[in-house]
Amino acid sequence: MIPPGSVPIKDYAIETPLKKSALSAEGDTLPEIRIDLKAKFGISAIHFVLKDEETGDWYKNKSRDFVVSLVDYIRADSDTSIIEPKRGFDFWPGNLGQISKIFSKSKADENESSESRVPERESNQPDGFYEEVYVTKKVLISNSVTVSTKKCFESGAVKDILYVETDLPGDVVLHWGVCRNDTKRWEVPRSPYPPGTVPFKERALRTPLWPSPDGKGSSAQITLEEEFSGFVFVLKQNKDTWFKYLGNDFYVPLSSPIKLLNSSSKDDLSEGVQIEKPSQENSFFAFTDTVAYEMRNLVSDNSSDKNQKKKSKKVQQSIFEEIERLAAEAYNIFRSSIPSFSKPTTAKPEATNVEPETTIVVPEASVESEALSLEPKICSGTGTGHEILCQGFNWESNVSGRWYMKLKEIASELASIGFTVVWLPPPTESVSPEGYMPKDLYNLNSRYGNIDELKDLVKRFHEVGIKVLGDAVLNHRCAHYQNKNGVWNIFGGCLDWDDRAVVSDDPHFQGRGNTSSGDSFHAAPNIDHSQEFVRKDLKEWLCWLRKEIGYDGWRLDFVRGFWGGYVKDYIEASEPYFAVGEYWDSLSYRNDETDYNQDAHRQRIVDWINATKGTSGAFDVTTKGILHAALEKCEYWRLSDENGNPPGVIGWWPSRAVTFIENHDTGSTQGHWRFPSGKEMIGYAYILTHPGTPSIFYDHIFSRYKTEIASLISLRRRNGIHCRSTVQISKAERDVYAAIIDEKVAMKIGPGHFEPPSGSLKWSLAIEGKHYEIWEAS
């Protein structure tokens, strides 16, 4: 049945070139293929995908295979041992973006209901039909979108003037709005608007761009009040082409250049510069005196080629590694220097049919290599980059009432395994025994033990060289008293807040504060962090915990509930060694299947980290979800994104990604999102060899996996793998994923085969388990 010219792909697929032999209605020659099925094989379905050999693009049906089912279109012949098709199967001619298929069926099926059925002919002859499935073809063109901003004094007030210009051909419409904070929620500003502007679905404005006098491109000018913090937009060209930035809205912060410089993330400037791969995509802020952009993530930086040629790769790598380690100090160097501007670089926004390139301007910073020490130092909230985190509890740890004492007994064992940081459960008095419904924040007698036992435990961990994170629940708090309406929103204890401390947009608790800056947690009053007295009290509480208990940092619960900028305030006040936030929301799904592209999901996590100005990391929920999909269905191709990088937060901002496969919510006795059973060690083989900061769940440490986990931790530490290690993905196929990390460690997971490449490095197998292998270079 295999057509001529086909090539087998391992043992599960065939690659067949399409021949241009069919003619369309317009007389064009179109590619086609004919597959003649053999009756004796009883084929029930055909799966296929298409590849454009000229561009290397793959075409799928909504990120999945095209599937042609033949189950309803075969019949049993007189010989009941043979099930055969009634007729051959053809691909009808169609354009590049059209896949046509033909089915036949028998009269015997006419009484069965199906949405895809077509009436049968009275003669009982097979009747055919075809379906056209459209796929999108992306092409790269050298067009640009620029937004210039400036402040002006007009009508007695300071206003923002924006000038939007593009050289895209044809009719271009700007869909735009404004936002007030980093949540980027669209709002419609007050008039006046540019000529021709009309409302669009009550949450945006639609403005046609006017053609330039020279006929090349189009533009529009917009005037805004100074009350807004950002300008958001997308572009529409002609009838059916939309331009976004990697699936997200374009966003331009409406801040002065000095304010933008002072508030940008400390690490964005260093993580956005790639030494060995100048064209590799990553994230950074861009700004100039009159042009301000925030094109986050996946920006191709080609501007520093000339500078890179002037210095050796080794010297440059040392410089920027030090900048990363000295984030705050290096940022001050950048801020105090006078930027000299490089040639424009290009960022690739994503469109439905066309991908243009957007011009932005990036400042260069001059750093003398002699002035930089290579001694590792610590920045508040980010640690050294070599942390290995142990979650030191599960959902049932409160039951015994002596959990602190139990952990004290095993502290030295955790240190011997290789853990450098331990995350403890919430310490405060709580309505729920697990600690996540806090009441009196200064009462540290909990179901896990009393305050003295907690102090002894922290002291013991410090003695064995382990840092300690406290679980800080800042989003919500349970009240002590009811108001006059019988609603529990009046607090007692040391922090005796009234209902002004509760957000006003949660109807369950009738708060008199401002509206929430995040999502609601409906089981308890959500705290209004915009109130100055609330922030002051929480800062003092965190500093008290640092001094009184000896906590070294924080795990921050449910950070989706309040703006990351408040987290920045709390971290700057308490100066933790390490901090990580729980930003957990749903991945992208389609037809109950996990989408291949999870950029929108990881972008939301990165946006939150960015709102903290990089002072806190976040759990890499994206990586966990993709590992679920890859391991459950043996789809290891998911572990490489469209740019050949890891598809989670570790592929965009690894120094702020805390990777994990299980915790007290997803696993334990709750099991809200349990990792695929029996494949836990495959997950650990991935996160313990990759960048990011790995977190290991207590239940897995003290289980049959203990020895394997200890071996992986030992290998990670022995080879100096850290949160910023480099990953070179060697394979990402159906049954195998393989990568080389820092040119020191090679790994593979999945049942498929992989051997590290032979060459200057000699590889020796160090660890082998079920469906995973790890090699070390020598």
Side-chain angles (χ1 to χ4, degrees):
M1 295 184 295
I2 300 176
S6 300
V7 177
I9 305 298
K10 292 192 175 180
D11 59 348
Y12 56 83
I14 297 292
E15 183 179 279
T16 303
L18 277 67
K19 296 182 178 180
K20 293 185 177 181
S21 57
L23 291 178
S24 67
E26 292 78 16
D28 297 327
T29 301
L30 300 174
E32 72 165 8
I33 186 176
R34 178 183 179 89
I35 303 176
D36 294 318
L37 302 182
K38 303 298 183 183
K40 63 180 180 180
F41 293 110
I43 293 179
S44 60
I46 292 179
H47 290 238
F48 69 93
V49 295
L50 295 179
K51 182 180 181 182
D52 187 336
E53 292 292 348
E54 294 181 0
T55 64
D57 292 333
W58 289 86
Y59 298 98
K60 294 188 175 184
N61 186 14
K62 299 178 180 179
S63 300
R64 302 171 65 186
D65 297 345
F66 290 98
V67 180
V68 179
S69 176
L70 305 178
V71 173
D72 293 334
Y73 308 100
I74 58 180
R75 65 177 177 84
D77 206 278
S78 56
D79 182 353
T80 58
S81 66
I82 298 177
I83 297 178
E84 61 181 12
K86 282 185 65 72
R87 55 169 291 177
F89 179 84
D90 294 332
F91 289 155
W92 283 19
N95 294 329
L96 176 63
Q98 301 173 349
I99 307 300
S100 304
K101 53 187 178 180
I102 181 171
F103 298 111
S104 59
K105 49 182 271 183
S106 68
K107 180 71 173 180
D109 293 328
E110 65 182 357
N111 293 325
E112 299 180 20
S113 62
S114 172
E115 293 181 358
S116 63
R117 299 290 172 91
V118 291
E120 297 294 343
R121 298 177 182 175
E122 293 299 326
S123 62
N124 198 25
Q125 293 298 314
D127 188 12
F129 68 92
Y130 72 93
E131 294 182 9
E132 293 181 345
V133 181
Y134 291 86
V135 294
T136 301
K137 183 175 183 179
K138 298 179 181 180
V139 294
L140 292 176
I141 57 175
S142 297
N143 289 85
S144 65
V145 180
T146 63
V147 181
S148 303
T149 69
K150 68 176 180 179
K151 303 280 186 181
C152 73
F153 191 77
E154 182 179 299
S155 303
V158 177
K159 297 187 179 182
D160 287 298
I161 308 296
L162 294 91
Y163 186 74
V164 182
E165 183 178 21
T166 178
D167 58 0
L168 287 169
D171 297 328
V172 180
V173 176
L174 178 73
H175 286 245
W176 62 280
V178 294
C179 54
R180 297 181 183 273
N181 53 45
D182 283 358
T183 59
K184 300 180 183 177
R185 294 178 179 173
W186 286 53
E187 293 184 23
V188 174
R190 294 187 297 271
S191 59
Y193 306 132
T197 299
V198 295
F200 181 73
K201 296 185 178 180
E202 299 182 353
R203 59 183 298 267
L205 296 170
R206 185 163 56 187
T207 300
L209 300 187
W210 292 90
S212 301
D214 58 3
K216 298 180 180 179
S218 51
S219 62
Q221 180 172 304
I222 298 172
T223 302
L224 297 173
E225 302 293 335
E226 199 186 22
E227 61 186 292
F228 304 110
S229 64
F231 175 70
V232 285
F233 70 95
V234 295
L235 294 173
K236 184 178 182 182
Q237 182 188 40
N238 302 324
K239 293 183 178 180
D240 57 358
T241 303
W242 289 86
F243 294 98
K244 290 188 173 185
Y245 182 65
L246 297 171
N248 300 300
D249 303 332
F250 287 100
Y251 172 76
V252 177
L254 299 178
S255 304
S256 67
I258 299 301
K259 181 178 179 181
L260 181 60
L261 178 59
N262 290 341
S263 65
S264 64
S265 170
K266 300 177 181 66
D267 287 340
D268 281 334
L269 293 173
S270 58
E271 290 202 13
V273 180
Q274 300 294 319
I275 302 303
E276 296 194 29
K277 298 180 179 179
S279 62
Q280 182 169 339
E281 298 172 329
N282 218 311
S283 68
F284 58 92
F285 277 82
F287 47 85
T288 70
D289 288 339
T290 57
V291 183
Y293 297 98
E294 186 180 352
M295 302 300 189
R296 294 179 179 171
N297 310 101
L298 296 182
V299 177
S300 178
D301 183 5
N302 297 312
S303 63
S304 56
D305 288 347
K306 291 184 178 179
N307 293 333
Q308 290 169 0
K309 293 178 181 178
K310 294 179 181 178
K311 301 178 181 179
S312 71
K313 291 182 179 180
K314 183 176 180 180
V315 172
Q316 288 189 351
Q317 188 67 45
S318 298
I319 292 172
F320 287 99
E321 283 180 357
E322 178 62 12
I323 291 174
E324 178 62 29
R325 286 193 293 265
L326 301 174
E329 291 86 347
Y331 177 62
N332 290 331
I333 293 173
F334 280 108
R335 185 173 61 182
S336 61
S337 65
I338 301 175
S340 60
F341 296 100
S342 64
K343 293 182 178 180
T345 63
T346 58
K348 299 177 182 177
E350 184 176 19
T352 303
N353 290 325
V354 181
E355 285 188 347
E357 297 182 349
T358 303
T359 302
I360 63 178
V361 180
V362 186
E364 294 179 336
S366 175
V367 182
E368 295 295 333
S369 60
E370 293 79 11
L372 295 175
S373 167
L374 295 182
E375 293 294 324
K377 297 185 180 180
I378 300 170
C379 306
S380 180
T382 65
T384 65
H386 293 265
E387 286 73 26
I388 300 176
L389 176 62
C390 162
Q391 180 178 356
F393 64 99
N394 60 31
W395 193 247
E396 303 297 326
S397 295
N398 64 89
V399 174
S400 68
R402 58 180 304 275
W403 190 250
Y404 293 153
M405 298 173 65
K406 179 175 181 178
L407 287 180
K408 183 179 177 181
E409 295 169 358
I410 63 173
S412 60
E413 183 178 4
L414 291 174
S416 66
I417 292 173
F419 291 106
T420 63
V421 181
V422 63
W423 156 25
L424 298 185
T428 59
E429 175 198 15
S430 171
V431 171
S432 65
E434 299 83 14
Y436 289 99
M437 299 284 280
K439 193 173 181 181
D440 184 353
L441 298 185
Y442 279 91
N443 182 353
L444 301 188
N445 296 315
S446 71
R447 300 292 182 89
Y448 300 100
N450 60 43
I451 184 172
D452 292 329
E453 292 169 343
L454 176 59
K455 289 181 180 179
D456 287 344
L457 173 61
V458 173
K459 180 181 178 182
R460 178 57 182 155
F461 274 125
H462 288 166
E463 289 173 351
V464 298
I466 294 179
K467 304 287 187 181
V468 181
L469 304 185
D471 202 324
V473 183
L474 305 179
N475 174 74
H476 51 273
R477 182 185 172 197
C478 292
H480 292 69
Y481 312 107
Q482 296 169 291
N483 67 4
K484 61 183 180 179
N485 299 323
V487 176
W488 294 87
N489 62 10
I490 307 298
F491 303 92
C494 294
L495 303 181
D496 53 349
W497 301 333
D498 59 17
D499 53 4
R500 291 175 301 151
V502 180
V503 298
S504 61
D505 51 352
D506 185 346
H508 298 90
F509 296 102
Q510 299 180 7
R512 291 192 297 120
N514 296 312
T515 58
S516 176
S517 59
D519 296 335
S520 292
F521 179 81
H522 295 296
N526 286 238
I527 300 304
D528 179 12
H529 294 265
S530 70
Q531 301 285 4
E532 180 63 33
F533 72 91
V534 168
R535 295 200 305 279
K536 176 178 178 293
D537 286 347
L538 290 179
K539 291 175 186 177
E540 291 177 354
W541 177 64
L542 291 171
C543 291
W544 176 78
L545 288 175
R546 290 270 282 131
K547 182 177 180 180
E548 184 71 15
I549 305 303
Y551 283 127
D552 301 290
W554 316 116
R555 180 267 184 185
L556 302 168
D557 183 65
F558 197 76
V559 296
R560 279 173 49 203
F562 55 104
W563 178 45
Y566 301 133
V567 172
K568 170 182 172 291
D569 292 345
Y570 299 141
I571 289 178
E572 290 180 344
S574 60
E575 297 184 333
Y577 164 87
F578 191 85
V580 55
E582 179 208 26
Y583 194 100
W584 180 11
D585 67 353
S586 179
L587 273 71
S588 301
Y589 294 90
R590 186 175 301 173
N591 300 327
D592 296 326
E593 293 284 342
T594 306
D595 277 353
Y596 164 67
N597 188 322
Q598 294 293 336
D599 285 354
H601 184 267
R602 58 176 167 173
Q603 183 68 61
R604 292 192 293 272
I605 298 175
V606 166
D607 285 346
W608 180 83
I609 300 171
N610 214 27
T612 75
K613 304 308 176 190
T615 57
S616 174
F619 287 106
D620 193 348
V621 181
T622 314
T623 289
K624 173 177 168 64
I626 293 172
L627 281 170
H628 274 244
L631 273 58
E632 285 172 348
K633 297 188 176 182
C634 196
E635 296 176 341
Y636 288 86
W637 46 265
R638 293 179 176 272
L639 294 174
S640 176
D641 68 12
E642 294 177 348
N643 300 293
N645 298 319
V649 179
I650 59 171
W652 280 1
W653 205 343
S655 69
R656 298 300 181 269
V658 176
T659 53
F660 72 108
I661 70 167
E662 207 79 287
N663 62 29
H664 61 290
D665 286 322
T666 65
S668 191
T669 55
Q670 291 201 97
H672 290 318
W673 192 27
R674 201 178 300 279
F675 201 76
S677 178
K679 299 181 179 179
E680 291 85 355
M681 285 311 304
I682 302 177
Y684 282 126
Y686 181 87
I687 69 172
L688 282 167
T689 58
H690 278 59
T693 300
S695 175
I696 317 300
F697 185 40
Y698 180 89
D699 289 5
H700 294 159
I701 299 168
F702 295 97
S703 71
R704 67 182 188 273
Y705 302 134
K706 181 178 180 180
T707 302
E708 290 181 88
I709 289 173
S711 297
L712 287 170
I713 291 175
S714 176
L715 180 140
R716 182 182 181 90
R717 299 186 67 175
R718 185 166 63 246
N719 289 278
I721 298 174
H722 52 87
C723 70
R724 302 170 184 88
S725 289
T726 60
V727 178
Q728 178 184 347
I729 297 177
S730 302
K731 265 190 177 182
E733 299 177 356
R734 181 185 64 90
D735 59 354
V736 63
Y737 167 86
I740 296 175
I741 299 88
D742 286 345
E743 295 187 348
K744 298 178 181 178
V745 170
M747 60 82 68
K748 82 95 178 176
I749 56 176
H753 177 74
F754 170 77
E755 291 285 345
S758 59
S760 58
L761 297 175
K762 292 184 62 178
W763 298 97
S764 58
L765 184 63
I767 302 177
E768 184 176 10
K770 185 178 180 180
H771 291 169
Y772 73 90
E773 293 176 286
I774 302 174
W775 297 262
E776 291 179 287
S778 58

